[in-house]
Amino acid sequence: MATTNQQAAKDIVKFFFTVFLSVNLIIQVPQAIVSVVFVDIITQLFSAAGYVFYFLGGAYILFMAAKSFKAGWTDSPLQLSFVNLLMIMLLSPKIWILFPSGAVIANQLNLGLMVNAGIYAFIMFSVSSILFYFYVLIGKIGQKLLKDNFSYLVTFLLGIFAMFLFIQGFKLIL
């Protein structure tokens, strides 16, 4: 949100079509497939341990919410570029912790490992592409409305997502 907040709408749209979609295909599609295979192997080895991924993801998101609450708002020095986005998607612990949470659901399709992985990868690609627009929009509106209190919005959104992950984890246990 901080990086796109300083950009004009035209530049964001150009970035989305020239950079975001290609990086999304190169990084997130393989991440989704690896996550489904990884979760399948883990759940076969350790029974119904898939719920652990929900709790790990939820705990990490709560950690991020606490960090964003304390951080306040500063302009991001990060530039919108192919390499920067590639590195964020490849090295982000948030992605690598959260992808297995969705992979647990994908494996419940029982359509075969690679079909489950393909469906999950397609859904993740589609959802992340659509959410890019909303993420930018929320960032721009939130920054204008909340000014120096923007970190509260980020904390709130992360908190809601963490609660969703915890609820899903508890559903698997019960």
Side-chain angles (χ1 to χ4, degrees):
M1 285 187 199
T3 304
T4 58
N5 190 40
Q6 303 302 321
Q7 303 293 320
K10 179 180 138 187
D11 294 332
I12 294 170
V13 169
K14 180 181 175 188
F15 171 78
F16 177 79
F17 285 109
T18 59
V19 175
F20 182 83
L21 287 178
S22 60
V23 172
N24 204 0
L25 276 171
I26 293 168
I27 297 298
Q28 284 198 335
V29 168
Q31 282 175 321
I33 291 169
V34 166
S35 293
V36 169
V37 172
F38 172 74
V39 166
D40 184 65
I41 292 168
I42 294 297
T43 54
Q44 285 180 15
L45 292 175
F46 300 106
S47 166
Y51 68 89
V52 171
F53 294 113
Y54 284 106
F55 293 113
L56 288 174
Y60 180 75
I61 292 298
L62 277 181
F63 169 75
M64 294 300 293
K67 297 288 276 182
S68 69
F69 183 77
K70 291 178 184 177
W73 178 262
T74 58
D75 288 334
S76 174
L78 192 64
Q79 297 297 316
L80 294 176
S81 72
F82 182 87
V83 173
N84 286 343
L85 184 61
L86 184 93
M87 295 306 289
I88 289 169
M89 286 186 177
L90 186 60
L91 300 177
S92 172
K94 179 174 53 177
I95 291 172
W96 287 106
I97 289 174
L98 295 178
F99 265 56
S101 302
V104 171
I105 296 169
N107 280 335
Q108 293 173 2
L109 295 174
N110 296 322
L111 298 174
L113 185 60
M114 294 317 292
V115 174
N116 291 350
I119 291 170
Y120 182 54
F122 174 75
I123 289 170
M124 289 305 295
F125 174 79
S126 302
V127 168
S128 65
S129 296
I130 292 167
L131 288 180
F132 176 85
Y133 169 76
F134 291 109
Y135 194 67
V136 170
L137 186 64
I138 287 169
K140 286 193 173 290
I141 293 171
Q143 177 63 18
K144 285 180 184 172
L145 293 176
L146 299 173
K147 296 184 174 98
D148 293 334
N149 297 322
F150 185 69
S151 63
Y152 298 146
L153 174 64
V154 173
T155 302
F156 175 73
L157 294 173
L158 289 171
I160 288 173
F161 189 52
M163 295 311 300
F164 167 77
L165 290 174
F166 287 134
I167 289 167
Q168 294 302 313
F170 284 121
K171 283 181 180 179
L172 283 176
I173 292 173
L174 305 174

